[in-house]
């Protein structure tokens, strides 16, 4: 597994093997031990010689069972916080809600309100990809409405006639 369930969603983490296996897997195993969630099988595992590609199903099942139990005892935020403290390569899988509520993106002023007069409201949208003091990028206009630029793109750029556009529209092709 690379995507694991936890209390409030999913995280990404994977067992590593070979020489790097110990360096990457052991910090999580030590964390599991700290919380009394590493069984003797995992505590005594030889990560330096382990090869996931050659592992039998019983080994995979035993590793998976203990790991899921550990991850399911934590939230994404708890796992990320613990991973940073322990240098575990683990990442939460963010939902749209998580991204919109991100403290980091909020502090960077990433979100911007874009007016949509046709809808009578403004919509929170992702802002620019970078903050630049000399020539700050910005959002020039709202996203186009469905079909708003059909005539420009299909007619002017692709050379499709208005009659052909009407036929394509009636056939619900565009």
């Amino acid at each position: 597994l690379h995507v694991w369930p936890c209390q409030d969603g999913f995280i990404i983490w994977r067992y590593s093997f070979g020489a790097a296996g110990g360096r990457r897997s052991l910090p999580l195993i030590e964390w599991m031990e700290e919380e009394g969630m590493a069984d003797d099988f995992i505590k005594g595992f030889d990560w330096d010689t382990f090869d996931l590609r050659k592992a039998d199903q019983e080994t995979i099942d035993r590793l998976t069972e203990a790991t899921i139990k550990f991850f399911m005892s934590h939230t994404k935020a708890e796992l990320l916080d613990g991973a940073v403290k322990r240098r575990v390569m683990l990442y939460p899988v963010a939902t749209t809600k998580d991204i919109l509520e991100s403290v980091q993106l909020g502090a960077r002023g990433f979100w911007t309100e874009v007016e949509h007069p046709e809808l009578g409201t403004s919509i929170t949208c992702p802002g620019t990809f970078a903050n630049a003091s000399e020539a700050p990028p910005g959002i020039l206009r709202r996203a186009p409405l469905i079909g708003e630029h059909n005539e420009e793109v299909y007619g002017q750029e692709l050379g499709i006639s208005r009659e052909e556009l009407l036929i394509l529209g009636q056939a619900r092709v565009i």
Side-chain angles (χ1 to χ4, degrees):
L1 287 179
H2 296 301
V3 179
W4 300 81
C6 64
Q7 277 184 13
D8 60 349
F10 298 90
I11 55 95
I12 295 175
W13 185 81
R14 70 181 185 111
Y15 280 108
S16 296
F17 51 89
R23 288 192 310 276
R24 290 194 177 150
S25 297
L26 282 177
L28 179 71
I29 304 310
E30 291 166 359
W31 184 7
M32 291 169 71
E33 282 185 73
E34 286 173 27
E35 297 190 10
M37 298 188 78
D39 60 20
D40 290 338
F41 177 77
I42 285 188
K43 287 192 274 190
F45 204 79
D46 183 0
W47 295 103
D48 291 332
T49 61
F50 176 59
D51 187 341
L52 186 61
R53 298 168 298 196
K54 298 177 183 176
D56 61 41
Q57 191 61 49
E58 181 184 352
T59 300
I60 299 299
D61 290 346
R62 290 185 75 180
L63 291 172
T64 301
E65 180 182 334
T67 306
I68 287 176
K69 184 178 176 185
F70 175 74
F71 289 148
M72 288 299 293
S73 71
H74 295 283
T75 65
K76 290 187 289 188
E78 292 167 347
L79 289 166
L80 178 59
D81 184 56
V84 169
K85 289 177 184 171
R86 294 169 180 85
R87 300 180 62 86
V88 173
M89 292 178 54
L90 174 150
Y91 314 94
V93 176
T95 63
T96 305
K97 182 177 186 279
D98 294 334
I99 295 168
L100 189 59
E101 295 174 355
S102 165
V103 173
Q104 179 184 8
L105 292 175
R108 291 181 50 82
F110 180 68
W111 302 107
T112 187
E113 294 295 313
V114 177
E115 291 296 323
H116 276 262
E118 300 83 1
L119 302 177
T121 190
S122 64
I123 296 176
T124 302
C125 294
T128 58
F129 67 94
N131 292 328
S133 57
E134 293 297 318
I139 294 179
L140 302 176
R141 60 184 171 268
R142 62 163 174 73
L145 300 173
I146 295 174
E148 182 176 348
H149 298 294
N150 281 3
E151 190 173 316
E152 179 184 339
V153 173
Y154 294 123
Q156 295 173 18
E157 292 193 26
L158 298 177
I160 298 173
S161 71
R162 285 182 186 215
E163 294 76 28
E164 289 174 299
L165 283 176
L166 286 172
I167 293 168
L168 291 171
Q170 289 171 348
R172 297 185 178 260
V173 172
I174 56 171

